[in-house]
Each structure stands twice: as structure tokens, then as C-alpha cells.
Amino acid sequence: MTMYFADTTKGRPYSKDPAVVKFKGTYYMYYSVHTPIEGKAGGIWGIGIAISDDMDEWRVAGEIHREHEYEANGFCAPGAIVKDGQIHLFYQTYGNGAKDAICHAVSEDGLHFRRNDSNPIFSPTGEWNNGRAIDADVIRFHDQYYLYFATRDPKGEIQMLGVAVTGADSDFGRDSWVQACAESILKPELSWEGKCIEAAAACVKDQKVFMFYAGNYNNMPQQIGCAVSEDGIHFRRLSDMPFLPNGDPGEWNASESGHPFLFQDEDDRTYLFYQGNNDHGKTWYISKVEIGWQQGRPLMIRE
């Protein structure tokens, strides 16, 4: 069975930027959802919540609503982890240009989130970027937490990745993060990547960090690549070709396969969640594929 999920509560199938965790026996998926608002061109972004017993059939369970001034223009692109019996959500503000930044919230039930008092918790520094931070992905590696983020060059044209770190006992507050790069850790170089690398989706395997990432801007088409690192900071691509390309004309993901998220279940099986559409972004669906490992490299397990 192939999974296709889209939130239809806003009037059309529209779900982007998936993040999945298992919490107290239930799978929770957080995703970007778009709400049309009268008088506001383009509407506003928020974060929807769906739950599942098997990762195939999902049902909408709620939405995280704006609470603070820094969220006034919207927020989206969640990343999620489970730590100390709580779900930690990392998300970006939206609609503020170069001032968009990463925020953090925590939940005891997966549905209601308490914001970090120091929000926004991270934005990058240095002359190589424009100060923006989006598309957070957090993993634990070598007794630290690594926060991967996307940013842009000073002109705001090229999207690329960076990383910050914090300790294993961190509260993820603003003062805890240390930027671990003085330049981009991965930026577009291949033709299919266009002017954009974003949406890091990392996991640890055999003491290495494998990072799936989205290459090119939405629907150009965006496709998914993969890179590997020994230290979580310096990455090399596994191939010059996309790991997961967009579909052929007529397929559900003909316009793109993008914005990945890596989820490792309790049985150590690994799943790559991603978004796609075939109408240049009028609708968006979320699907998944299982990832296997052969000779230290990832491969897709076809159903």
C-alpha cells in the first residue's frame, strides 16, 4: 500500500514539509498547512497535526495556532524529535524575509505545545549568509544535538545548508546553540539542484550522518539527494544524481518530490517522508518510502 496524505480541512488537498515521530504508541505527523485569509494576499502558514496507528492511514488531529508576535506572519516547516518523554518541535517563522528564524516548542501530548521562552532560538551569523534560518532538522550525534538549517547567500538568491550544535542535556534555548560552520556545509553545485539546497533530513547510521536534502526550488522540479558525513559538519554527496527524483508525466509527483524527513521506527526500520504534486503546487500530498541499507549506503525498498 502506498501512502498518500493531504489535509483537506482548508478546502483543497494541501500538506507540505512532513515531520514524523512515534510517541506513546502513536505516530504523529506535523506538516505545513496553508490557510486562506481574506484581505491577506497569499494567506498564512501554520502547522497541522495528523496521527496514525500504522503510518499508512492518517487522520487530521489538530493544528498549532499562532500565539506570539514572532508568529504573527505565520510559521511552518516543522522538524520533530522525542526527548525525555516529550515531543520537541523545531519550526520556522514565515513571511519576514531575511529575519525568519528557528523556534522551539515542547509537548507532553503531541497536540498542545509550549513555546520556548527564548524564541526564536536560532538564526545564523557570518558574511556568507543573510541571517535567515528555515527548515530545521535536529538529530543526536556524538552526545550533541545537531540543528541543520537552510539559509541564503547575502543577496538572498542561493539557498544552502548550515549547522549549529548544543549539548545532550540542552533545553534548546537560544543561548545553548553554537554555530558549527563558517560557511555553508552543502550548497547547490549540480545542475538538478538549481539555486537551492534545503530541507535537511538526517539520520545516524554506522557512526556516520546521512543527510537527505531537497535540491532546487519547489516545482522546478525539486528532487531529493543524499550526502554523508563522518563528523556531522563536512558532507560529500553519494551521487551526482537525485536519490529520489520527481515522477514521470501523469504521476502524482510529476511536478516534484521534495522536502524530505527521515524517521527511524522502534524496530530500526527507516522511512523517508516527502512531499509531491503534479499540478505545480495547486495541491500537495505527503508520501513515504522505506529506506534500506546495503554496504553502508541507503537504497529505496519498493513495495
Side-chain angles (χ1 to χ4, degrees), residues 126-181:
E127 296 182 357
W128 60 279
N129 68 79
N130 70 347
R132 191 181 195 222
I134 64 171
D135 293 355
D137 188 63
V138 174
I139 63 167
R140 183 165 175 168
F141 181 58
H142 288 170
D143 291 325
Q144 294 189 103
Y145 284 94
Y146 286 64
L147 166 63
Y148 295 103
F149 61 91
T151 188
R152 293 199 180 189
D153 71 326
K155 293 182 179 180
E157 297 174 354
I158 306 298
Q159 196 119 290
M160 52 192 172
L161 298 181
V163 62
V165 298
T166 188
D169 59 350
S170 175
D171 65 355
F172 301 131
R174 184 187 305 173
D175 293 339
S176 72
W177 294 100
V178 176
Q179 188 169 308
C181 60

Side-chain angles (χ1 to χ4, degrees), residues 4 43-44 47 49 117 124 126 186 192-193 223 227 229 242 254 268 273 275 283 301:
Y4 300 107
I44 198 161
I47 295 174
I49 307 169
D117 290 338
L186 200 66
W192 68 268
E193 296 170 344
Q223 302 178 94
S229 172
D268 290 332
F273 286 79
Q275 67 186 30
T283 61
I301 298 176

Side-chain angles (χ1 to χ4, degrees), residues 20-98:
V20 175
V21 296
K22 191 171 188 180
F23 185 64
K24 298 180 179 179
T26 298
Y27 298 101
Y28 287 78
M29 178 163 60
Y30 303 94
Y31 54 91
S32 299
V33 63
H34 186 260
T35 303
I37 294 181
E38 186 176 352
K40 184 174 178 61
I44 198 161
W45 287 98
I47 295 174
I49 307 169
I51 60 176
S52 175
D53 298 320
D54 58 7
M55 285 192 293
D56 288 322
E57 297 290 336
W58 294 87
R59 55 193 182 275
V60 176
E63 185 174 341
I64 305 173
H65 298 285
R66 290 170 287 156
E67 290 185 357
H68 298 277
E69 182 62 28
Y70 55 82
E71 299 170 341
N73 292 326
F75 56 91
C76 57
I81 62 170
V82 176
K83 176 180 181 285
D84 299 331
Q86 299 173 314
I87 295 178
H88 292 260
L89 199 70
F90 301 87
Y91 62 98
Q92 68 169 81
T93 61
Y94 189 84
N96 310 293

Side-chain angles (χ1 to χ4, degrees), residues 236-273:
R236 59 178 176 83
R237 291 167 177 81
L238 295 183
S239 171
D240 289 345
M241 301 299 293
F243 177 84
L244 199 166
N246 66 308
D248 293 330
E251 294 185 341
W252 77 276
N253 57 341
S255 293
E256 82 162 46
S257 297
H259 203 107
F261 181 84
L262 233 291
F263 168 67
Q264 188 171 14
D265 208 348
E266 294 169 341
D267 59 4
D268 290 332
R269 292 172 71 178
T270 306
Y271 300 87
L272 182 67
F273 286 79

Side-chain angles (χ1 to χ4, degrees), residues 183-260:
E183 60 183 0
S184 172
I185 62 170
L186 200 66
K187 58 185 178 181
E189 296 175 354
L190 304 175
S191 59
W192 68 268
E193 296 170 344
K195 293 184 177 182
C196 171
I197 284 183
E198 61 183 12
C203 70
V204 178
K205 186 74 174 177
D206 299 329
Q207 297 300 307
K208 299 175 184 176
V209 176
F210 287 84
M211 179 193 288
F212 298 83
Y213 64 89
N216 220 331
Y217 287 111
N218 282 158
N219 299 310
M220 294 192 68
Q222 190 166 100
Q223 302 178 94
I224 296 171
C226 188
V228 66
S229 172
E230 306 281 347
D231 61 4
I233 298 173
H234 302 90
F235 284 85
R236 59 178 176 83
R237 291 167 177 81
L238 295 183
S239 171
D240 289 345
M241 301 299 293
F243 177 84
L244 199 166
N246 66 308
D248 293 330
E251 294 185 341
W252 77 276
N253 57 341
S255 293
E256 82 162 46
S257 297
H259 203 107

